[in-house]
Amino acid sequence: MERLQTTSPRISPLIDHHVHTRLCGHATGEMEDYVCSALSRGLKEIVFLEHMEAGVNYSERTWLTEDDFDEYFRTGRQLQKKYSDRIAVKLGVEVGYSPTHGEELLKRLAARSWDKIGLSYHFHKVADDSCDINLVSRKAFNTEAIKRFGPKKLLTLYYDTLIQAVKTIPATHLCHLDAGLRFQQALPFTNSHRLQISKILRLISDKGMALEINTSGFAIRDEQFPSDKILKEAIRLDIPLVCSSDAHRPEDVGRYFEKLPGLIKKLSEER
């Protein structure tokens, strides 16, 4: 595996701010496997960002229970000691916001000490007695549910909910900003949605939050999340940028990070 050597004044490709493990139920590999992969890539820091959700009605669990988080912290502390002279191991959380369970999420966040708090929105509740829609899933029953609901309407709700989430959750960075409905063909992205994104960027700028550049986008759509256009606006607002692989396999840690310093330099010169 190629070791990263590139640097940038705006972004560090030697830190991966978004890594999952088998604990979330839809990734593979133990925590130590990801640490070893990070070392092989020459990273100086790895941030585990496991899923926290509340009030979700879904066909499978794709997030950690509190017992899972207990295991997560036990193992994470051991790895921090074991690798302390080689790499910084940070223990964070990716909070999937819920408009109906915001207080519960705040209480659960306050009960533990997190190194980083990433913020996202994954599940949309259609009705109390029906399965929630996973907005970032490629599975057919989710993409079909999005079509029935109306992609344009749902995308508007996605960004409105992110606006509420940024105002509510004390997060350190915002995850995959434009990844909502990412597997929907011919997504109806409108000027109204762009205005919503601009509002989100101003909010995270005012709160001092960072914006992640999620390199899973290179594998999904041949462009990072968020898009070049959104990144240019973030750079104009001087929002801090962080590298995130959104790894769900150990070999995904630090993927495509070598692209980012040059990309940010290019976009900075174009703004």
Side-chain angles (χ1 to χ4, degrees), residues 1-5 13-16 31-46 83 86-89 247 249-255 257-258:
M1 186 178 291
E2 180 185 357
R3 293 173 65 87
L4 293 165
Q5 300 295 335
L14 300 180
I15 304 173
D16 193 335
M31 293 179 73
E32 188 164 13
D33 298 332
Y34 287 82
V35 173
C36 292
S37 181
L39 284 169
S40 73
R41 291 279 289 171
L43 299 188
K44 66 178 183 180
E45 185 174 310
I46 182 172
Y83 293 96
R86 301 177 65 188
I87 188 171
V89 177
R249 303 176 303 170
E251 59 265 33
D252 290 338
V253 173
R255 58 179 167 174
F257 280 15
E258 69 279 358

mmCIF file of all heavy atoms in Angstrom, residues 1-5 13-16 31-46 83 86-89 247 249-255 257-258:
data_model
loop_
_atom_site.group_PDB
_atom_site.id
_atom_site.type_symbol
_atom_site.label_atom_id
_atom_site.label_comp_id
_atom_site.label_asym_id
_atom_site.label_seq_id
_atom_site.Cartn_x
_atom_site.Cartn_y
_atom_site.Cartn_z
ATOM 1 N N MET A 1 0.834 -1.197 0.000
ATOM 2 C CA MET A 1 0.000 0.000 0.000
ATOM 3 C C MET A 1 0.876 1.257 0.000
ATOM 4 O O MET A 1 1.822 1.354 0.776
ATOM 5 C CB MET A 1 -0.917 0.001 1.235
ATOM 6 C CG MET A 1 -1.931 1.136 1.262
ATOM 7 S SD MET A 1 -3.014 1.045 2.714
ATOM 8 C CE MET A 1 -3.976 -0.410 2.363
ATOM 9 N N GLU A 2 0.536 2.215 -0.876
ATOM 10 C CA GLU A 2 1.335 3.441 -0.989
ATOM 11 C C GLU A 2 1.215 4.297 0.259
ATOM 12 O O GLU A 2 0.127 4.517 0.786
ATOM 13 C CB GLU A 2 0.853 4.245 -2.205
ATOM 14 C CG GLU A 2 1.620 5.540 -2.431
ATOM 15 C CD GLU A 2 1.035 6.346 -3.569
ATOM 16 O OE1 GLU A 2 0.080 5.872 -4.206
ATOM 17 O OE2 GLU A 2 1.542 7.457 -3.801
ATOM 18 N N ARG A 3 2.339 4.783 0.746
ATOM 19 C CA ARG A 3 2.333 5.638 1.927
ATOM 20 C C ARG A 3 2.179 7.086 1.500
ATOM 21 O O ARG A 3 2.763 7.542 0.526
ATOM 22 C CB ARG A 3 3.642 5.461 2.721
ATOM 23 C CG ARG A 3 3.777 4.093 3.349
ATOM 24 C CD ARG A 3 5.135 3.913 3.978
ATOM 25 N NE ARG A 3 5.333 4.812 5.095
ATOM 26 C CZ ARG A 3 4.970 4.562 6.351
ATOM 27 N NH1 ARG A 3 4.345 3.452 6.639
ATOM 28 N NH2 ARG A 3 5.208 5.425 7.319
ATOM 29 N N LEU A 4 1.375 7.823 2.266
ATOM 30 C CA LEU A 4 1.107 9.217 1.948
ATOM 31 C C LEU A 4 2.259 10.101 2.395
ATOM 32 O O LEU A 4 2.774 9.971 3.495
ATOM 33 C CB LEU A 4 -0.182 9.682 2.647
ATOM 34 C CG LEU A 4 -1.468 9.031 2.142
ATOM 35 C CD1 LEU A 4 -2.585 9.278 3.122
ATOM 36 C CD2 LEU A 4 -1.832 9.562 0.774
ATOM 37 N N GLN A 5 2.658 11.021 1.538
ATOM 38 C CA GLN A 5 3.735 11.951 1.861
ATOM 39 C C GLN A 5 3.321 13.412 1.643
ATOM 40 O O GLN A 5 4.027 14.318 2.036
ATOM 41 C CB GLN A 5 4.960 11.641 0.992
ATOM 42 C CG GLN A 5 5.520 10.232 1.185
ATOM 43 C CD GLN A 5 6.073 10.001 2.567
ATOM 44 O OE1 GLN A 5 6.482 10.940 3.258
ATOM 45 N NE2 GLN A 5 6.089 8.750 2.998
ATOM 46 N N PRO A 13 -3.640 15.198 4.870
ATOM 47 C CA PRO A 13 -3.985 13.849 4.411
ATOM 48 C C PRO A 13 -3.381 12.758 5.284
ATOM 49 O O PRO A 13 -3.455 11.584 4.940
ATOM 50 C CB PRO A 13 -3.393 13.818 3.000
ATOM 51 C CG PRO A 13 -2.204 14.701 3.095
ATOM 52 C CD PRO A 13 -2.571 15.803 4.058
ATOM 53 N N LEU A 14 -2.795 13.137 6.390
ATOM 54 C CA LEU A 14 -2.200 12.155 7.299
ATOM 55 C C LEU A 14 -3.115 11.818 8.470
ATOM 56 O O LEU A 14 -2.726 11.090 9.382
ATOM 57 C CB LEU A 14 -0.857 12.675 7.817
ATOM 58 C CG LEU A 14 0.192 12.964 6.736
ATOM 59 C CD1 LEU A 14 1.482 13.470 7.358
ATOM 60 C CD2 LEU A 14 0.465 11.728 5.886
ATOM 61 N N ILE A 15 -4.345 12.355 8.435
ATOM 62 C CA ILE A 15 -5.341 12.051 9.467
ATOM 63 C C ILE A 15 -6.622 11.609 8.784
ATOM 64 O O ILE A 15 -7.138 12.304 7.911
ATOM 65 C CB ILE A 15 -5.649 13.287 10.346
ATOM 66 C CG1 ILE A 15 -4.378 13.844 10.981
ATOM 67 C CG2 ILE A 15 -6.666 12.913 11.431
ATOM 68 C CD1 ILE A 15 -4.593 15.152 11.727
ATOM 69 N N ASP A 16 -7.129 10.455 9.176
ATOM 70 C CA ASP A 16 -8.416 9.976 8.673
ATOM 71 C C ASP A 16 -9.459 10.202 9.768
ATOM 72 O O ASP A 16 -9.400 9.590 10.828
ATOM 73 C CB ASP A 16 -8.340 8.492 8.299
ATOM 74 C CG ASP A 16 -9.543 8.032 7.485
ATOM 75 O OD1 ASP A 16 -10.609 8.654 7.603
ATOM 76 O OD2 ASP A 16 -9.400 7.047 6.726
ATOM 77 N N MET A 31 -11.204 -3.225 15.175
ATOM 78 C CA MET A 31 -10.622 -1.893 15.313
ATOM 79 C C MET A 31 -9.117 -1.919 15.053
ATOM 80 O O MET A 31 -8.574 -1.035 14.392
ATOM 81 C CB MET A 31 -10.918 -1.319 16.701
ATOM 82 C CG MET A 31 -12.389 -1.023 16.943
ATOM 83 S SD MET A 31 -12.732 -0.358 18.607
ATOM 84 C CE MET A 31 -12.067 1.303 18.472
ATOM 85 N N GLU A 32 -8.444 -2.945 15.559
ATOM 86 C CA GLU A 32 -6.991 -3.019 15.382
ATOM 87 C C GLU A 32 -6.612 -3.182 13.913
ATOM 88 O O GLU A 32 -5.565 -2.693 13.477
ATOM 89 C CB GLU A 32 -6.393 -4.144 16.211
ATOM 90 C CG GLU A 32 -4.874 -4.131 16.219
ATOM 91 C CD GLU A 32 -4.279 -4.980 17.328
ATOM 92 O OE1 GLU A 32 -5.015 -5.785 17.942
ATOM 93 O OE2 GLU A 32 -3.061 -4.835 17.587
ATOM 94 N N ASP A 33 -7.460 -3.851 13.132
ATOM 95 C CA ASP A 33 -7.191 -3.994 11.702
ATOM 96 C C ASP A 33 -7.115 -2.627 11.025
ATOM 97 O O ASP A 33 -6.290 -2.403 10.133
ATOM 98 C CB ASP A 33 -8.281 -4.823 11.026
ATOM 99 C CG ASP A 33 -8.370 -6.246 11.551
ATOM 100 O OD1 ASP A 33 -7.327 -6.766 12.001
ATOM 101 O OD2 ASP A 33 -9.468 -6.829 11.516
ATOM 102 N N TYR A 34 -7.981 -1.712 11.451
ATOM 103 C CA TYR A 34 -8.001 -0.367 10.865
ATOM 104 C C TYR A 34 -6.780 0.441 11.307
ATOM 105 O O TYR A 34 -6.225 1.207 10.521
ATOM 106 C CB TYR A 34 -9.299 0.352 11.254
ATOM 107 C CG TYR A 34 -10.510 -0.193 10.527
ATOM 108 C CD1 TYR A 34 -11.157 -1.348 10.965
ATOM 109 C CD2 TYR A 34 -11.011 0.441 9.400
ATOM 110 C CE1 TYR A 34 -12.262 -1.858 10.294
ATOM 111 C CE2 TYR A 34 -12.123 -0.056 8.722
ATOM 112 C CZ TYR A 34 -12.739 -1.205 9.175
ATOM 113 O OH TYR A 34 -13.832 -1.709 8.501
ATOM 114 N N VAL A 35 -6.368 0.262 12.549
ATOM 115 C CA VAL A 35 -5.165 0.943 13.024
ATOM 116 C C VAL A 35 -3.943 0.478 12.227
ATOM 117 O O VAL A 35 -3.122 1.300 11.789
ATOM 118 C CB VAL A 35 -4.950 0.696 14.534
ATOM 119 C CG1 VAL A 35 -3.605 1.261 14.983
ATOM 120 C CG2 VAL A 35 -6.080 1.318 15.344
ATOM 121 N N CYS A 36 -3.835 -0.820 12.015
ATOM 122 C CA CYS A 36 -2.702 -1.345 11.251
ATOM 123 C C CYS A 36 -2.730 -0.863 9.807
ATOM 124 O O CYS A 36 -1.679 -0.562 9.212
ATOM 125 C CB CYS A 36 -2.709 -2.877 11.297
ATOM 126 S SG CYS A 36 -2.342 -3.564 12.937
ATOM 127 N N SER A 37 -3.914 -0.770 9.231
ATOM 128 C CA SER A 37 -4.033 -0.247 7.872
ATOM 129 C C SER A 37 -3.601 1.215 7.821
ATOM 130 O O SER A 37 -2.903 1.631 6.886
ATOM 131 C CB SER A 37 -5.478 -0.389 7.387
ATOM 132 O OG SER A 37 -5.613 0.082 6.062
ATOM 133 N N ALA A 38 -3.983 1.989 8.821
ATOM 134 C CA ALA A 38 -3.572 3.388 8.874
ATOM 135 C C ALA A 38 -2.059 3.517 8.969
ATOM 136 O O ALA A 38 -1.448 4.374 8.321
ATOM 137 C CB ALA A 38 -4.240 4.086 10.061
ATOM 138 N N LEU A 39 -1.445 2.661 9.757
ATOM 139 C CA LEU A 39 0.008 2.679 9.878
ATOM 140 C C LEU A 39 0.674 2.349 8.547
ATOM 141 O O LEU A 39 1.679 2.957 8.166
ATOM 142 C CB LEU A 39 0.449 1.686 10.949
ATOM 143 C CG LEU A 39 0.231 2.116 12.403
ATOM 144 C CD1 LEU A 39 0.447 0.952 13.354
ATOM 145 C CD2 LEU A 39 1.168 3.275 12.765
ATOM 146 N N SER A 40 0.121 1.382 7.832
ATOM 147 C CA SER A 40 0.706 1.001 6.548
ATOM 148 C C SER A 40 0.601 2.124 5.524
ATOM 149 O O SER A 40 1.388 2.183 4.575
ATOM 150 C CB SER A 40 0.036 -0.267 6.013
ATOM 151 O OG SER A 40 -1.274 -0.011 5.549
ATOM 152 N N ARG A 41 -0.363 3.021 5.720
ATOM 153 C CA ARG A 41 -0.535 4.170 4.827
ATOM 154 C C ARG A 41 0.290 5.370 5.266
ATOM 155 O O ARG A 41 0.329 6.392 4.582
ATOM 156 C CB ARG A 41 -2.007 4.576 4.786
ATOM 157 C CG ARG A 41 -2.910 3.582 4.088
ATOM 158 C CD ARG A 41 -2.851 3.736 2.589
ATOM 159 N NE ARG A 41 -3.501 4.961 2.140
ATOM 160 C CZ ARG A 41 -3.449 5.425 0.897
ATOM 161 N NH1 ARG A 41 -2.747 4.764 -0.005
ATOM 162 N NH2 ARG A 41 -4.070 6.533 0.559
ATOM 163 N N GLY A 42 0.939 5.251 6.401
ATOM 164 C CA GLY A 42 1.747 6.355 6.897
ATOM 165 C C GLY A 42 0.953 7.436 7.592
ATOM 166 O O GLY A 42 1.444 8.564 7.760
ATOM 167 N N LEU A 43 -0.277 7.118 8.038
ATOM 168 C CA LEU A 43 -1.079 8.112 8.739
ATOM 169 C C LEU A 43 -0.513 8.364 10.137
ATOM 170 O O LEU A 43 0.083 7.483 10.752
ATOM 171 C CB LEU A 43 -2.531 7.653 8.849
ATOM 172 C CG LEU A 43 -3.306 7.419 7.557
ATOM 173 C CD1 LEU A 43 -4.778 7.172 7.872
ATOM 174 C CD2 LEU A 43 -3.157 8.573 6.588
ATOM 175 N N LYS A 44 -0.737 9.558 10.635
ATOM 176 C CA LYS A 44 -0.304 9.883 11.991
ATOM 177 C C LYS A 44 -1.463 9.870 12.984
ATOM 178 O O LYS A 44 -1.248 9.928 14.192
ATOM 179 C CB LYS A 44 0.391 11.245 12.024
ATOM 180 C CG LYS A 44 -0.520 12.428 11.712
ATOM 181 C CD LYS A 44 0.254 13.730 11.823
ATOM 182 C CE LYS A 44 -0.655 14.951 11.594
ATOM 183 N NZ LYS A 44 0.100 16.219 11.697
ATOM 184 N N GLU A 45 -2.700 9.789 12.460
ATOM 185 C CA GLU A 45 -3.862 9.773 13.344
ATOM 186 C C GLU A 45 -5.025 9.089 12.640
ATOM 187 O O GLU A 45 -5.229 9.254 11.437
ATOM 188 C CB GLU A 45 -4.254 11.191 13.725
ATOM 189 C CG GLU A 45 -5.374 11.299 14.748
ATOM 190 C CD GLU A 45 -5.611 12.736 15.192
ATOM 191 O OE1 GLU A 45 -4.624 13.415 15.565
ATOM 192 O OE2 GLU A 45 -6.778 13.170 15.159
ATOM 193 N N ILE A 46 -5.800 8.319 13.410
ATOM 194 C CA ILE A 46 -7.016 7.692 12.905
ATOM 195 C C ILE A 46 -8.144 7.986 13.884
ATOM 196 O O ILE A 46 -7.958 7.876 15.102
ATOM 197 C CB ILE A 46 -6.833 6.174 12.713
ATOM 198 C CG1 ILE A 46 -8.105 5.546 12.131
ATOM 199 C CG2 ILE A 46 -6.411 5.482 13.985
ATOM 200 C CD1 ILE A 46 -7.947 4.080 11.729
ATOM 201 N N TYR A 83 -0.495 1.496 20.766
ATOM 202 C CA TYR A 83 0.095 2.173 19.608
ATOM 203 C C TYR A 83 0.453 3.632 19.884
ATOM 204 O O TYR A 83 0.662 4.402 18.956
ATOM 205 C CB TYR A 83 -0.870 2.092 18.424
ATOM 206 C CG TYR A 83 -1.054 0.695 17.889
ATOM 207 C CD1 TYR A 83 -2.128 -0.092 18.300
ATOM 208 C CD2 TYR A 83 -0.152 0.143 16.980
ATOM 209 C CE1 TYR A 83 -2.296 -1.386 17.808
ATOM 210 C CE2 TYR A 83 -0.315 -1.141 16.484
ATOM 211 C CZ TYR A 83 -1.389 -1.904 16.910
ATOM 212 O OH TYR A 83 -1.541 -3.176 16.421
ATOM 213 N N ARG A 86 3.228 5.226 17.977
ATOM 214 C CA ARG A 86 3.236 5.077 16.516
ATOM 215 C C ARG A 86 2.136 5.859 15.818
ATOM 216 O O ARG A 86 2.327 6.345 14.699
ATOM 217 C CB ARG A 86 3.123 3.595 16.148
ATOM 218 C CG ARG A 86 4.255 2.745 16.726
ATOM 219 C CD ARG A 86 4.061 1.282 16.407
ATOM 220 N NE ARG A 86 4.140 1.035 14.964
ATOM 221 C CZ ARG A 86 3.854 -0.131 14.399
ATOM 222 N NH1 ARG A 86 3.458 -1.153 15.159
ATOM 223 N NH2 ARG A 86 3.961 -0.285 13.098
ATOM 224 N N ILE A 87 0.966 5.965 16.452
ATOM 225 C CA ILE A 87 -0.162 6.648 15.822
ATOM 226 C C ILE A 87 -1.160 7.066 16.901
ATOM 227 O O ILE A 87 -1.328 6.368 17.907
ATOM 228 C CB ILE A 87 -0.859 5.738 14.781
ATOM 229 C CG1 ILE A 87 -1.905 6.510 13.979
ATOM 230 C CG2 ILE A 87 -1.454 4.502 15.430
ATOM 231 C CD1 ILE A 87 -2.467 5.721 12.793
ATOM 232 N N ALA A 88 -1.795 8.215 16.704
ATOM 233 C CA ALA A 88 -2.841 8.660 17.622
ATOM 234 C C ALA A 88 -4.152 7.979 17.235
ATOM 235 O O ALA A 88 -4.561 8.023 16.072
ATOM 236 C CB ALA A 88 -3.001 10.176 17.548
ATOM 237 N N VAL A 89 -4.778 7.335 18.203
ATOM 238 C CA VAL A 89 -6.047 6.654 17.990
ATOM 239 C C VAL A 89 -7.129 7.441 18.725
ATOM 240 O O VAL A 89 -7.104 7.544 19.947
ATOM 241 C CB VAL A 89 -6.005 5.196 18.503
ATOM 242 C CG1 VAL A 89 -7.376 4.541 18.338
ATOM 243 C CG2 VAL A 89 -4.915 4.406 17.776
ATOM 244 N N ALA A 247 -14.285 4.714 5.822
ATOM 245 C CA ALA A 247 -13.882 3.321 5.606
ATOM 246 C C ALA A 247 -14.841 2.354 6.284
ATOM 247 O O ALA A 247 -15.206 2.528 7.447
ATOM 248 C CB ALA A 247 -12.471 3.103 6.134
ATOM 249 N N ARG A 249 -14.036 -1.018 5.410
ATOM 250 C CA ARG A 249 -13.100 -2.141 5.333
ATOM 251 C C ARG A 249 -11.729 -1.592 5.715
ATOM 252 O O ARG A 249 -11.421 -0.429 5.415
ATOM 253 C CB ARG A 249 -13.035 -2.719 3.931
ATOM 254 C CG ARG A 249 -14.345 -3.186 3.340
ATOM 255 C CD ARG A 249 -14.150 -3.659 1.907
ATOM 256 N NE ARG A 249 -13.566 -2.598 1.069
ATOM 257 C CZ ARG A 249 -13.109 -2.762 -0.160
ATOM 258 N NH1 ARG A 249 -13.129 -3.970 -0.709
ATOM 259 N NH2 ARG A 249 -12.622 -1.752 -0.850
ATOM 260 N N PRO A 250 -10.888 -2.388 6.374
ATOM 261 C CA PRO A 250 -9.575 -1.870 6.763
ATOM 262 C C PRO A 250 -8.778 -1.290 5.607
ATOM 263 O O PRO A 250 -8.100 -0.269 5.756
ATOM 264 C CB PRO A 250 -8.889 -3.100 7.372
ATOM 265 C CG PRO A 250 -10.005 -3.919 7.901
ATOM 266 C CD PRO A 250 -11.132 -3.744 6.918
ATOM 267 N N GLU A 251 -8.883 -1.910 4.424
ATOM 268 C CA GLU A 251 -8.095 -1.437 3.281
ATOM 269 C C GLU A 251 -8.580 -0.093 2.734
ATOM 270 O O GLU A 251 -7.906 0.520 1.897
ATOM 271 C CB GLU A 251 -8.092 -2.480 2.163
ATOM 272 C CG GLU A 251 -9.457 -2.857 1.631
ATOM 273 C CD GLU A 251 -10.042 -4.094 2.289
ATOM 274 O OE1 GLU A 251 -9.777 -4.306 3.499
ATOM 275 O OE2 GLU A 251 -10.757 -4.857 1.595
ATOM 276 N N ASP A 252 -9.742 0.382 3.203
ATOM 277 C CA ASP A 252 -10.260 1.675 2.737
ATOM 278 C C ASP A 252 -9.697 2.864 3.511
ATOM 279 O O ASP A 252 -9.927 4.020 3.125
ATOM 280 C CB ASP A 252 -11.784 1.706 2.842
ATOM 281 C CG ASP A 252 -12.455 0.783 1.839
ATOM 282 O OD1 ASP A 252 -11.819 0.443 0.826
ATOM 283 O OD2 ASP A 252 -13.613 0.399 2.078
ATOM 284 N N VAL A 253 -9.009 2.624 4.593
ATOM 285 C CA VAL A 253 -8.470 3.727 5.398
ATOM 286 C C VAL A 253 -7.545 4.594 4.539
ATOM 287 O O VAL A 253 -6.671 4.085 3.836
ATOM 288 C CB VAL A 253 -7.704 3.186 6.625
ATOM 289 C CG1 VAL A 253 -7.009 4.327 7.371
ATOM 290 C CG2 VAL A 253 -8.654 2.452 7.558
ATOM 291 N N GLY A 254 -7.759 5.889 4.576
ATOM 292 C CA GLY A 254 -6.906 6.828 3.840
ATOM 293 C C GLY A 254 -7.045 6.763 2.332
ATOM 294 O O GLY A 254 -6.227 7.337 1.612
ATOM 295 N N ARG A 255 -8.099 6.115 1.829
ATOM 296 C CA ARG A 255 -8.228 5.944 0.374
ATOM 297 C C ARG A 255 -8.416 7.289 -0.331
ATOM 298 O O ARG A 255 -9.162 8.142 0.118
ATOM 299 C CB ARG A 255 -9.396 5.023 0.034
ATOM 300 C CG ARG A 255 -10.757 5.465 0.554
ATOM 301 C CD ARG A 255 -11.841 4.509 0.136
ATOM 302 N NE ARG A 255 -13.078 4.759 0.867
ATOM 303 C CZ ARG A 255 -14.222 4.135 0.616
ATOM 304 N NH1 ARG A 255 -14.284 3.233 -0.347
ATOM 305 N NH2 ARG A 255 -15.298 4.410 1.320
ATOM 306 N N PHE A 257 -6.643 9.819 -0.412
ATOM 307 C CA PHE A 257 -6.207 11.035 0.276
ATOM 308 C C PHE A 257 -5.131 11.778 -0.506
ATOM 309 O O PHE A 257 -4.988 12.991 -0.377
ATOM 310 C CB PHE A 257 -5.685 10.708 1.675
ATOM 311 C CG PHE A 257 -6.768 10.506 2.714
ATOM 312 C CD1 PHE A 257 -8.093 10.320 2.346
ATOM 313 C CD2 PHE A 257 -6.457 10.495 4.072
ATOM 314 C CE1 PHE A 257 -9.081 10.133 3.289
ATOM 315 C CE2 PHE A 257 -7.442 10.318 5.027
ATOM 316 C CZ PHE A 257 -8.757 10.132 4.648
ATOM 317 N N GLU A 258 -4.362 11.044 -1.319
ATOM 318 C CA GLU A 258 -3.300 11.690 -2.083
ATOM 319 C C GLU A 258 -3.854 12.696 -3.096
ATOM 320 O O GLU A 258 -3.135 13.593 -3.559
ATOM 321 C CB GLU A 258 -2.450 10.636 -2.804
ATOM 322 C CG GLU A 258 -3.143 9.904 -3.934
ATOM 323 C CD GLU A 258 -4.036 8.757 -3.482
ATOM 324 O OE1 GLU A 258 -4.095 8.496 -2.258
ATOM 325 O OE2 GLU A 258 -4.670 8.130 -4.362
#
